[in-house]
Amino acid sequence: MGRLNPHGYLRIAQAREFELSFAGGEINVAVAVANFGGEAAFVTKLPKNDLTVNAIRTLRGYGVDLTNLVYGGDRLGMYYVERGASQRPSKVIYDRKYSAISMAKREDFDWKKILDGASWFHFTGITPSLSDELPLICEDALKECKARGITVSCDLNYRKNLWSSERAGEVMEKLMPYVDVCLANEEDAEKVFGIKADNSDLLGGKLSKESYEIVAKKLADKFGFDKLAITLRGSLSASDNTWAGILYDGTKVYKSKEYKIHLVDRVGGGDSFGGGLVYALMSGYEPQKAIEFAVATSCLKQATEYDFSISSLDEVNKLVNGDGSGRVQR
């Protein structure tokens, strides 16, 4: 998608100019993996116009393979982001109806060709929410992954502006048997599958990590995931959050350290966590190191403008190892 946001902290209703960048649940993960030196390819359907040219040049600049892009349709989906501050929350407006990917058909994607040589496939719950055809397209891809022994990860990424909890649960339940590594935030499990964490007050910024350990185990037991990760955001205000995560491998829960973040741009925070986790697991990191790496990756992204995670391996590892002072590097 294209992302449009007013300069600084202007509200959408005030804005006369918008800054353009690019984003999306899956591409944010692909950019993060490529940024760390991993091989990452992105598959979607885009219209043939100059916005797409801009997007392709941008993504290639981050090292993402776009060989299997499908072209067609009339428009690139867009969304507007209004940055919140203090007690005023951030706001997102979607403008993606009739986008090329939402109009895609199953015959657009030759998954045997697309997945040739792949070892890992990642998708989010946003993609199947965009049309009645996209759950079937996702299932086609997942069946081919299963046949080839390709590891599949999924970020549940529930978006109330895109579909209802009931529809999300109905669709995602059919796709979960193909998933090896599931990612969720503090709300997804409840909104999509009705599995609620006790003793937590999301609006008050109070999270019970012990309750989310139970949620992780329930989700993993329900669907047979190899691993399940949950991000834990304590929203103190639109400007200040706490940030942590847990990773469950079927036998043990691994907990990251907790960070206090003064936010620059929280949009894309969960995707950067996903990118960090996918890279860590693909690289053979043991579970504790993997969850620490993923949370630190996301922590640094949320102190960076726009959706993409562009911190280096060295920067992430320094934070993992305790260097979070923010002192000038020179």
Side-chain angles (χ1 to χ4, degrees):
M1 288 189 298
R3 167 178 164 166
L4 294 166
N5 56 270
H7 297 298
Y9 288 92
L10 285 175
R11 304 198 67 175
I12 291 172
Q14 295 174 290
R16 294 298 176 265
E17 295 179 327
F18 291 85
E19 299 169 333
L20 172 67
S21 57
F22 297 99
E26 290 85 359
I27 189 57
N28 291 345
V29 170
V31 167
V33 171
N35 179 67
F36 289 135
E39 293 184 16
F42 179 55
V43 182
T44 191
K45 186 173 184 177
L46 297 174
K48 279 198 169 183
N49 60 33
D50 285 349
L51 268 177
T52 292
V53 172
N54 191 334
I56 288 173
R57 288 174 177 170
T58 300
L59 300 179
R60 282 180 174 158
Y62 286 108
V64 177
D65 181 350
L66 303 174
T67 303
N68 290 305
L69 284 181
V70 174
Y71 293 98
D74 296 321
R75 67 184 302 255
L76 177 71
M78 307 293 287
Y79 79 117
Y80 296 78
V81 178
E82 174 182 301
R83 289 196 186 105
S86 193
Q87 280 67 47
R88 177 176 61 82
S90 295
K91 181 185 292 185
V92 170
I93 298 175
Y94 290 109
D95 178 22
R96 57 192 309 171
K97 194 171 184 180
Y98 305 120
S99 66
I101 185 61
S102 72
M103 304 298 288
K105 301 297 181 184
R106 294 171 78 178
E107 55 266 27
D108 288 333
F109 300 93
D110 181 354
W111 290 111
K112 290 185 183 297
K113 175 178 175 289
I114 292 169
L115 293 169
D116 189 38
S119 62
W120 194 293
F121 181 83
H122 179 80
F123 76 107
T124 76
I126 295 174
T127 299
S129 76
L130 300 178
S131 73
D132 290 336
E133 187 88 352
L134 277 161
L136 301 175
I137 293 172
C138 288
E139 190 172 12
D140 288 343
L142 297 177
K143 285 180 177 178
E144 187 64 26
C145 287
K146 195 76 168 178
R148 292 171 179 251
I150 296 170
T151 300
V152 172
S153 57
C154 173
D155 189 334
L156 293 180
N157 253 354
Y158 174 71
R159 297 290 184 267
K160 66 180 180 181
N161 289 340
L162 295 176
W163 58 356
S164 68
S165 289
E166 293 74 21
R167 176 61 177 161
E170 175 188 337
V171 170
M172 297 305 288
E173 186 147 0
K174 292 179 181 177
L175 302 179
M176 289 302 99
Y178 300 99
V179 174
D180 303 295
V181 181
C182 182
L183 292 77
N185 68 19
E186 65 278 354
E187 294 184 273
D188 290 335
E190 177 184 357
K191 299 298 184 184
V192 180
F193 296 121
I195 299 176
K196 187 179 187 318
D198 297 324
N199 305 316
S200 290
D201 176 11
L202 298 183
L203 295 180
K206 297 176 182 178
L207 301 177
S208 167
K209 291 182 181 178
E210 292 74 19
S211 293
Y212 282 100
E213 291 177 29
I214 296 171
V215 168
K217 291 175 181 177
K218 285 182 177 179
L219 269 176
D221 290 345
K222 179 177 177 67
F223 294 111
F225 303 131
D226 291 337
K227 293 181 177 65
L228 187 137
I230 296 179
T231 56
L232 302 172
R233 183 187 297 277
S235 293
L236 309 178
S237 72
S239 301
D240 296 281
N241 288 180
T242 60
W243 184 250
I246 59 175
L247 178 64
Y248 178 58
D249 68 356
T251 57
K252 182 178 177 180
V253 173
Y254 298 85
K255 305 176 223 181
S256 78
K257 67 182 73 172
E258 182 176 86
Y259 297 96
K260 292 182 180 178
I261 310 175
H262 185 70
L263 297 167
V264 171
D265 192 341
R266 64 159 285 181
V267 178
D271 297 328
S272 59
F273 171 86
L277 185 66
V278 169
Y279 175 81
L281 295 176
M282 287 178 66
S283 300
Y285 289 16
E286 51 85 19
Q288 186 64 49
K289 184 178 179 181
I291 190 63
E292 296 288 5
F293 185 87
V295 170
T297 297
S298 184
C299 178
L300 291 175
K301 186 271 139 211
Q302 292 175 79
T304 305
E305 297 273 10
Y306 309 129
D307 283 60
F308 293 160
S309 172
I310 57 173
S311 298
S312 67
L313 278 173
D314 183 58
E315 288 171 327
V316 174
N317 286 324
K318 280 182 177 177
L319 183 56
V320 168
N321 293 327
D323 184 359
S325 66
R327 292 177 63 87
V328 175
Q329 302 295 305
R330 55 187 169 191

